[in-house]
Amino acid sequence: MTTGLVSNIQKCCVHDGPGLRTVVFLMGCPLSCKWCQNPENLALKPIVLYDEEKCVSCGRCLPHCPHGCGSLTENGVQFDRSKCTSCGACVDSCFIEAKSMCGKRMTVDEVYEAVMRDQIFYRTSGGGVTLSGGEPTMHAGFSVALFRKLKQASIHTAIETCGFCQSNTMLRIAEYTDLFLYDFKAYTESVHQKWTGQGNQLIKENLRMLHDMGKQIIIRIPLIPGVNDNEEFDRMMQFLQQFPKLKQIHIMPFHQIGASKYTLSATPYELEDMPECDADHAERHAEAGRKAGFEVNIGGWDAQ
């Protein structure tokens, strides 16, 4: 059966497309953006999240782990992730929820049943279902099958994507996708490579393909201090002006809200000292986007 690795199904969302929406978060991403707000979704496998601040060092989880990943020291419970297979045995025995699982294999039917419980809200608000991540194109078969089923039920579909996938994959998903919330992080290849771990040629090509197909696209720009809030932003605007059907840009100012997730997932985080984008800084770039001919808002859909 076709499955996807789901980290969360979040209901009543307003940031991820029109109306009230349910967002299905899938795990795995081909990029490694240094500012990622969902680092727990980067790996293409389930992971154990560990909140040391919640842990009371009771040691209850230790005998349940078949691989000896934990030990009780004078500094509390130490968790050796190098031995962890994400079996979840320690999670099941942690009554205070200091440990939790991120990632579960779910079938298309299971996810469809879960999201359709809120179909009345989609129909009354003009909302629908959004796939996010991670990167949904890494689960192409699952994404296509779920969206096909949703379209048969006349549910609006949207996808949040970095655009980094083979064109035939994007083409398959596009057939059943009403709206693309398309990340555009940098124009210059070297800048994109440095900060995301990959070049952006595929991203540009897929954007052009979707545009020429007449798909509805909203560009999302994470505004990152010292990365793309300089002359790089001007280059991005000039590039996007090549696409006459592109009308809307969402500017997503950098913030540190997701920093704690790096600790929970033991993911290295390099931007602890990076300043957040204030409202004036974001507005100056929004105005530059408007002068380039785009409708621009700051912060996503509910800012409109």
Side-chain angles (χ1 to χ4, degrees), residues 263-284:
T263 302
L264 296 179
S265 59
T267 303
Y269 184 49
E270 301 179 27
L271 305 186
E272 291 179 354
D273 298 325
M274 180 172 283
E276 295 186 333
C277 287
D278 61 34
D280 290 341
H281 190 65
E283 180 56 36
R284 284 194 296 272

Side-chain angles (χ1 to χ4, degrees), residues 31 77 97 140 163 199 262 279:
L31 304 187
V77 172
E97 299 181 345
Y262 284 83

Side-chain angles (χ1 to χ4, degrees), residues 141-197:
F142 173 87
S143 300
V144 169
L146 177 62
F147 272 11
R148 182 193 297 121
K149 197 162 186 175
L150 288 168
K151 293 313 300 173
Q152 290 171 350
S154 300
I155 302 298
H156 184 275
T157 57
I159 187 170
E160 296 179 340
T161 178
C162 69
F164 190 87
C165 67
Q166 295 300 313
S167 58
N168 60 337
T169 297
M170 189 66 77
L171 194 62
R172 289 173 58 202
I173 294 173
E175 183 177 356
Y176 303 101
T177 303
D178 295 312
L179 171 65
F180 284 86
L181 299 169
Y182 201 96
D183 286 358
F184 192 51
K185 307 170 195 294
Y187 170 75
T188 306
E189 183 88 3
S190 58
V191 173
H192 201 279
Q193 177 77 45
K194 176 181 178 180
W195 291 93
T196 74

Side-chain angles (χ1 to χ4, degrees), residues 15-148:
H15 295 271
D16 308 277
L20 287 174
R21 309 190 71 80
T22 296
V23 181
V24 180
F25 291 88
L26 298 170
M27 296 186 70
C29 186
L31 304 187
S32 52
C33 303
K34 296 181 185 294
W35 55 82
C36 181
Q37 296 300 302
N38 296 310
E40 72 280 12
N41 289 344
L42 292 176
L44 193 57
K45 63 179 182 179
I47 62 171
V48 174
L49 303 180
Y50 176 42
D51 189 339
E52 293 187 37
E53 293 185 2
K54 280 187 178 181
C55 182
V56 296
S57 301
C58 66
R60 184 180 181 86
C61 62
L62 301 182
H64 294 274
C65 177
H67 305 289
C69 296
S71 60
L72 190 59
T73 72
E74 60 182 12
N75 296 319
V77 172
Q78 301 299 307
F79 182 25
D80 184 356
R81 288 184 177 273
S82 66
K83 300 178 182 178
C84 182
T85 62
S86 299
C87 68
C90 63
V91 173
D92 294 338
S93 62
C94 182
F95 291 161
I96 61 169
E97 299 181 345
K99 289 183 176 179
S100 59
M101 284 297 301
C102 180
K104 177 185 177 182
R105 280 283 167 192
M106 298 183 68
T107 67
V108 170
D109 288 344
E110 287 173 331
V111 175
Y112 179 82
E113 180 181 352
V115 301
M116 287 299 284
R117 291 169 190 158
D118 292 326
Q119 62 176 302
I120 187 172
F121 299 112
Y122 311 150
R123 302 191 192 282
T124 56
S125 70
V129 176
T130 300
L131 287 182
S132 187
E135 173 52 44
T137 60
M138 294 191 73
H139 300 265
F142 173 87
S143 300
V144 169
L146 177 62
F147 272 11
R148 182 193 297 121

Side-chain angles (χ1 to χ4, degrees), residues 47 66-67 85 102 112 218 227 233-234 254 297:
I47 62 171
H67 305 289
T85 62
C102 180
Y112 179 82
I218 294 177
V227 178
F233 190 86
D234 297 330
F254 173 76
N297 76 41

Side-chain angles (χ1 to χ4, degrees), residues 189-228:
E189 183 88 3
S190 58
V191 173
H192 201 279
Q193 177 77 45
K194 176 181 178 180
W195 291 93
T196 74
Q198 297 285 357
N200 60 2
Q201 190 59 39
L202 264 177
I203 295 168
K204 292 176 181 177
E205 290 174 0
N206 282 330
L207 177 59
R208 188 174 299 280
M209 179 184 72
L210 293 173
H211 172 269
D212 293 346
M213 290 172 62
K215 303 301 296 187
Q216 184 183 5
I217 305 168
I218 294 177
I219 296 295
R220 283 190 160 183
I221 299 176
L223 191 64
I224 314 299
V227 178
N228 62 4

